[in-house]
Amino acid sequence: MRRAELLERYRALPMPTTTDESWRFTDLKGFDPDAFVQNGHAPGPGPRTMLEIDVAGLATVDGGGLEIERAPEGIRFELLDESHPQLGELVAADEKFAAQNAAQWEHGLLVHVPKGVVLEQPLYVRVANPPDGEALFWRLLVVAEPGSRFSLIEDLSAPDPELAGYSNAVVELFVGQDARVEYVSLQNLARETWHFASHRARVGRDAELDWVAGGFGSKKGKIRIENDLAGQGATSRVTGAYFADGDQHLDYDTLQEHQAPNTTSDFAFKGALRDEATAVWRGMIRVEPDAQKTNAYQENRNLLLSPKAHADSIPGLEIQANDVRCTHGATVSQVDREQLFYAMARGLTQSDAERLILRGFFQDVLDRIELEPVREALGEALEARIPQG
Amino acid sequence: MALLELNDLRVSLEDGTEIVKGVDLDVSPGEIHALMGPNGSGKSSLAYALMGHPAYEITGGEALFDGQDVSEMGADKRAQAGLFLAFQYPHAIPGVTVTSFLRSAINAIRKARAGGEDDPVPIPEFRKELLEAMEHLKIPRELAQRYLNDGFSGGEKKRVEILQMAMLKPRIAVLDETDSGLDIDALRIVANGVRELVGPETGALVITHYQRILNHIKPDFVHVFVDGRIVEEGGPELAHKLEEEGYEAFLPEGAEA
Ligand SMILES: Nc1ncnc2c1ncn2[C@@H]1O[C@H](COP(=O)(O)OP(=O)(O)OP(=O)(O)O)[C@@H](O)[C@H]1O
Ligand SMILES: [Mg+2]
């Protein structure tokens, strides 16, 4: 589809409102996606990274363009061409923000790892927060050919926490037969920036996708995380950790779509909310008629650190096969006063005690993260959100 | 002046119900005091109030620790100053190992004592001390890497309370029924732990229902606590008398033990 048609489509789609079921808890009042300068050509201040890590490939994206700072031999780690045949195959332009991205993205990255290639060190792409009043449409396409193995880290960070921009991301991941991909998406955008993202992966036969989503920044928006378990024996594991405070609102919309038999999906999201922050997590497990012997798990647990913080958790199941195992769990709990007192009775200040309890709360999701620097950075980022008291 | 001094101390619940109704008690370094009383008489409430639990408010009288009125201090400040409570029902903190909890506690106390500057205990020193203390208290090593009190047996929880006491080296230790649920060996270990802690710098208040632990601990003073008040005081012989006769003689008319 040409850009002009995509733009037409974007314009034709109505702006979502809270009367749409999937936007019930995320009110976009006051947000006008057309009010931002698109891909402003003056590069903003460079992104600040959450991670110190040795990498095989490094790219940086901002309003000025995409810069490949290092690319490993033997793979394609390059500017994404808008005529790439797989573009838009997983994330269709049938949703307002995905359509706008399809119509307007300029700087994209292609990661294409050929058959059997194994990268020891991760690939790393840093995406800048758009400057005040500007929009950044970020596009990532990942093709993991059969038998390839690698890690890819996408890090959306802000140099200045007050930037009022608009970030819109679309990520498509094709995980071929027997491939093993670790995908880490860290979102640490400015707290005045709107953020909309659609990520979708297709996991092939006997392939494994291990996905980590960290959510710390942004003002409001929606993050869609969708997986197709498309080949027999495919496995996907998604681990989410998020923290919001002030008046931040985070919205995760996840889909585990089992299309083939003997597939496994395991989604675990934990979040903590402070001040008046809110979060909504919506999870859908869909099992198609052919997907016998599906094993699907989803979990969302929220810890509220302030009386006015609020979380909604909406698990969902749509099962059309009869021989499946699907389990889900959702909880929202307050920090336990007795736990807090117990820790303080040992000499910890209230903020140290909260930090300790918070770390304990997240420990099991952090333990799922294979890359140690990512695990540590997430742990530290979480603890750093409790102010020193 | 005693290290811990309670003068006509009164404690109420959040709904205003008075539970501790005027207690006078002095604990000095080198002394072990036993507090015995029937279920529901307010022993734990007294212990919680001393430690600064927000649900137990000091509503009258005073509790002085080292001359300072504790009601002006948060639980953390009291612990940093050297007050310790071994909980009757210790809480679990899932995701936090015994080791990391203890290290955080020690570092918090060290920081407070260093005037707010970080002064973390060197890790090898901490590890050595922890291993020695665990061995001494016959706590299996693997417990150190488990999440604090998460799925611990009753006896394991109590031993880990004593482990914390041994590591934090308080100046006043209040033990709330640490002996309940312990097997004979553990009881002896806990009693030794208390005896070893108490000395020229440190005193203890041991809340218990049983003579058994007192045989090992050998308290200097025994206080009988009924309905929020100390109704009788004496030496170790008082505990024997209680064991034989029960609380009957101390209860108000018409009440049951
Ligand atoms: N947080 C609370 N909320 C309501 N009632 C309470 C609370 N804490 C204590 N109480 C009540 O106060 C009274 C004293 O309780 P406390 O736990 O102090 O007794 P105790 O002497 O420690 O008893 P035991 O020997 O059974 O441990 C009891 O009647 C108890 O039900
Ligand atoms: Mg009690």
Side-chain angles (χ1 to χ4, degrees):
Chain A
M1 215 181 301
R2 291 188 356 265
R3 293 286 188 133
E5 285 171 66
L6 289 163
L7 195 61
E8 278 297 296
R9 178 174 289 209
Y10 157 68
R11 295 212 195 288
L13 286 164
M15 190 67 178
T17 68
T18 50
T19 57
D20 301 311
E21 176 52 31
S22 65
W23 293 90
R24 192 148 61 98
F25 297 97
T26 301
D27 188 350
L28 299 181
K29 229 183 336 230
F31 175 60
D32 175 3
D34 298 314
F36 295 82
V37 180
Q38 283 153 26
N39 299 316
H41 292 284
R48 222 192 28 179
T49 137
M50 273 180 77
L51 285 177
E52 287 304 326
I53 190 167
D54 290 330
V55 295
L58 177 63
T60 301
V61 188
D62 62 21
L66 175 89
E67 191 187 337
I68 308 286
E69 292 173 35
R70 193 183 323 154
E73 302 265 313
I75 72 160
R76 293 171 68 188
F77 188 73
E78 62 194 34
L79 269 174
L80 175 61
D81 186 329
E82 67 174 306
S83 64
H84 194 289
Q86 282 165 290
L87 197 64
E89 196 179 316
L90 293 181
V91 178
D94 58 359
E95 186 265 349
K96 183 79 174 167
F97 299 101
Q100 190 182 16
N101 184 291
Q104 301 186 332
W105 71 273
E106 275 185 39
H107 312 303
L109 178 69
L110 171 70
V111 177
H112 186 134
V113 180
K115 206 169 165 176
V117 169
V118 176
L119 296 179
E120 295 297 336
Q121 289 183 325
L123 302 167
Y124 190 14
V125 51
R126 303 190 302 201
V127 184
N129 201 100
D132 269 333
E134 297 192 15
L136 183 71
F137 295 93
W138 154 240
R139 189 97 195 183
L140 173 63
L141 179 67
V142 179
V143 181
E145 283 198 24
S148 62
R149 285 181 72 152
F150 61 96
S151 306
L152 170 67
I153 301 168
E154 173 200 47
D155 185 354
L156 283 71
S157 323
D160 166 359
E162 299 305 321
L163 294 177
Y166 166 33
S167 157
N168 180 323
V170 171
V171 177
E172 295 168 289
L173 301 122
F174 295 86
V175 185
Q177 184 171 340
D178 287 319
R180 280 197 61 177
V181 174
E182 216 172 343
Y183 168 56
V184 177
S185 180
L186 303 176
Q187 188 275 103
N188 201 12
L189 294 163
R191 42 200 320 131
E192 290 303 322
T193 288
W194 296 84
H195 178 59
F196 298 82
S198 296
H199 313 247
R200 191 169 187 131
R202 179 184 293 161
V203 189
R205 190 180 175 111
D206 295 324
E208 277 180 44
L209 173 62
D210 196 350
W211 180 325
V212 176
F216 299 94
S218 80
K219 176 193 182 75
K220 206 186 244 189
K222 187 189 268 292
I223 294 177
R224 295 195 296 167
I225 294 179
E226 305 186 331
N227 277 205
D228 296 335
L229 286 303
Q232 237 188 83
T235 299
S236 84
R237 192 161 82 132
V238 179
T239 303
Y242 54 87
F243 193 116
D245 55 23
D247 60 356
Q248 284 184 289
H249 174 76
L250 291 173
D251 178 334
Y252 286 96
D253 214 321
T254 70
L255 173 66
Q256 295 155 259
E257 170 126 12
H258 289 260
Q259 300 168 339
N262 273 310
T263 47
T264 302
S265 67
D266 171 6
F267 281 34
F269 278 71
K270 277 195 172 181
L273 303 165
R274 227 175 163 271
D275 305 328
E276 292 170 18
T278 50
V280 51
W281 179 89
R282 194 182 285 274
M284 174 60 78
I285 295 175
R286 192 177 293 146
V287 182
E288 298 191 355
D290 287 342
Q292 297 297 359
K293 305 250 184 262
T294 278
N295 196 344
Y297 177 76
Q298 65 173 207
E299 155 177 44
N300 173 234
R301 311 217 178 267
N302 290 283
L303 181 67
L304 306 181
L305 299 162
S306 310
K308 283 188 174 164
H310 180 82
D312 290 292
S313 207
I314 308 146
L317 293 174
E318 263 179 41
I319 300 178
Q320 299 176 57
N322 49 31
D323 183 12
V324 301
R325 230 183 87 115
C326 296
T327 34
H328 58 79
T331 52
V332 178
S333 51
Q334 306 275 345
V335 167
D336 181 35
R337 180 167 90 162
E338 302 301 330
Q339 274 184 357
L340 204 58
F341 172 66
Y342 186 73
M344 289 179 71
R346 297 301 181 242
L348 277 78
T349 61
Q350 176 153 352
S351 67
D352 283 346
E354 278 186 15
R355 213 169 283 120
L356 190 86
I357 291 166
L358 179 87
R359 186 63 184 251
F361 171 75
F362 279 104
Q363 195 59 48
D364 58 348
V365 290
L366 294 177
D367 283 343
R368 289 164 53 113
I369 300 174
E370 301 271 339
L371 284 167
E372 194 187 323
V374 172
R375 191 168 61 232
E376 286 182 0
L378 279 181
E380 281 164 20
L382 288 163
E383 289 189 12
R385 292 295 282 269
I386 307 250
Q388 291 291 340
Chain B
M1 194 196 337
L3 185 53
L4 179 68
E5 206 180 302
L6 312 184
N7 298 319
D8 191 29
L9 186 73
R10 290 168 189 272
V11 173
S12 296
L13 300 175
E14 284 160 305
D15 65 4
T17 319
E18 190 173 68
I19 302 293
V20 176
K21 302 169 179 169
V23 167
D24 291 289
L25 180 66
D26 288 356
V27 182
S28 292
E31 294 176 356
I32 300 178
H33 292 247
L35 188 71
M36 306 183 77
N39 294 133
S41 55
K43 305 178 297 295
S44 293
S45 302
L46 172 65
Y48 273 141
L50 288 179
M51 201 66 235
H53 191 298
Y56 301 86
E57 201 194 337
I58 295 180
T59 44
E62 59 180 7
L64 304 178
F65 179 63
D66 207 6
Q68 211 186 341
D69 186 346
V70 298
S71 63
E72 286 157 19
M73 305 157 81
D76 53 339
K77 292 281 180 302
R78 300 183 201 194
Q80 291 159 9
L83 194 58
F84 179 89
L85 171 63
F87 284 60
Q88 183 175 4
Y89 303 110
H91 295 279
I93 305 192
V96 177
T97 62
V98 170
T99 304
S100 96
F101 182 73
L102 259 172
R103 201 166 70 222
S104 303
I106 286 174
N107 287 340
I109 291 173
R110 286 173 66 114
K111 181 175 175 176
R113 294 188 182 158
E117 294 290 322
D118 279 325
D119 177 29
V121 55
I123 291 184
E125 182 185 321
F126 169 75
R127 283 203 60 80
K128 182 164 172 283
E129 212 175 310
L130 178 63
L131 286 176
E132 282 171 7
M134 289 183 76
E135 199 175 307
H136 194 63
L137 296 170
K138 303 218 162 40
I139 295 174
R141 269 191 187 203
E142 56 98 16
L143 218 58
Q145 290 318 315
R146 283 190 40 199
Y147 295 149
L148 182 67
N149 294 326
D150 196 14
F152 284 15
S153 75
E156 285 169 340
K157 287 183 187 170
K158 297 300 177 78
R159 286 187 201 217
V160 168
E161 291 294 289
I162 296 305
L163 174 67
Q164 295 179 53
M165 180 183 85
M167 294 289 290
L168 299 179
K169 302 183 189 68
R171 298 167 68 205
I172 288 285
V174 179
L175 285 79
D176 191 358
E177 294 198 28
T178 305
D179 55 330
S180 299
L182 287 184
D183 60 42
I184 309 274
D185 291 341
L187 199 68
R188 197 170 297 133
I189 290 167
V190 165
N192 286 341
V194 176
R195 288 219 69 88
E196 283 161 19
L197 182 78
V198 171
E201 305 277 312
T202 306
L205 176 63
V206 179
I207 298 171
T208 181
H209 287 293
Y210 305 107
Q211 171 62 36
R212 247 175 8 155
I213 190 165
L214 300 181
N215 289 338
H216 296 290
I217 286 194
K218 303 190 178 65
D220 304 291
F221 305 94
V222 174
H223 309 268
V224 181
F225 192 79
V226 175
D227 191 24
R229 290 181 187 92
I230 291 176
V231 294
E232 179 90 15
E233 292 176 304
E237 73 292 344
L238 184 55
H240 287 284
K241 184 174 166 218
L242 278 179
E243 186 102 327
E244 273 154 34
E245 300 172 13
Y247 295 109
E248 203 87 0
F250 303 106
L251 294 180
E253 291 287 309
E256 286 174 41

